[in-house]
Amino acid sequence: AVLAGEYIEEERFLLEAEVHRHGQIKSHNAALNEAVLHPGQIAHMIEFEVYIDESFAFSLRADGLIVSTPTGSTAYNLSAGGPIVYPSMNAVVLTPICPFTLTNRPIVIPDDNEIILKLAKNSGEVVLTLDGQVGYDLETNDLIKVRKSETSFNLVKPPNRNYFDVLRNKLKWGR
């Protein structure tokens, strides 16, 4: 069907994540689904601050934070209690992973905001993982900057299948 031109093409955005250490970029990678800040050891909470476009948003003690695209909203983000976001939305989801307080909830922000994560001094081992593939060990005082990438991803799908068909199948809705 694709070779016959029977398909719909959807553009999805990617995230890009940079690790800044002592004023220098130490890592720069892209992700289709999510960037995850998490402890390097099992069952350890980490502490960090979240800034949106350089404005302080909140501090968090948790098992981590998921920064998700709409495409990734039905992946790790969903299993951590984050919302499902329609794929064409211009939004990014920040979902705390097992936060220490119940007042820390997922938040949806515009995709043109830059998210800056600043590690606390006593965070211990912390890792930044992108799409569950690329991992980068972080150090105290590292800054992680996550933003919408200028590069996009084109998804090809059959014309007779819509997003809600995918959700019903993936999430077993109505079964």
Side-chain angles (χ1 to χ4, degrees):
V2 171
L3 294 176
E6 298 172 16
Y7 63 89
I8 296 172
E9 195 171 332
E10 285 185 356
E11 185 177 15
R12 307 281 179 94
F13 73 84
L14 302 172
L15 293 175
E16 62 181 46
E18 295 176 345
V19 175
H20 292 251
R21 183 174 298 148
H22 307 299
Q24 296 183 334
I25 298 174
K26 291 296 185 181
S27 174
H28 182 267
N29 291 288
L32 172 62
N33 293 314
E34 73 271 319
V36 181
L37 186 68
H38 60 93
Q41 298 177 8
I42 295 173
H44 285 296
M45 284 200 313
I46 57 176
E47 293 185 49
F48 53 96
E49 294 177 339
V50 178
Y51 295 80
I52 308 296
D53 286 339
E54 298 187 12
S55 293
F56 176 72
F58 55 91
S59 57
L60 187 62
R61 288 181 63 208
D63 288 356
L65 181 74
I66 302 167
V67 179
S68 173
T69 65
T71 302
S73 72
T74 57
Y76 190 15
N77 170 70
L78 182 61
S79 67
I84 296 171
V85 179
Y86 197 79
S88 62
M89 297 290 294
N90 297 322
V92 174
V93 181
L94 281 69
T95 303
I97 304 168
C98 300
F100 181 70
T101 63
L102 295 177
T103 58
N104 290 113
R105 308 306 312 152
I107 183 170
V108 180
I109 63 172
D111 68 357
D112 60 353
N113 290 131
E114 180 178 60
I115 299 114
I116 301 170
L117 308 174
K118 187 177 189 180
L119 297 177
K121 290 184 174 35
N122 57 347
S123 288
E125 292 181 37
V126 181
V127 177
L128 176 68
T129 302
L130 303 168
D131 284 342
Q133 303 295 315
V134 178
Y136 192 82
D137 293 328
L138 301 170
E139 296 179 5
T140 299
N141 295 325
D142 280 355
L143 287 179
I144 299 90
K145 295 185 178 184
V146 182
R147 67 177 95 45
K148 180 180 178 178
S149 176
E150 292 182 15
T151 304
S152 62
F153 172 82
N154 290 326
L155 183 68
V156 174
K157 66 179 197 167
N160 61 346
R161 191 164 184 193
N162 69 42
Y163 183 62
F164 297 103
D165 293 333
V166 173
L167 287 179
R168 276 193 308 278
N169 288 328
K170 186 175 192 175
L171 302 176
K172 314 258 185 275
W173 284 354
R175 294 184 196 170

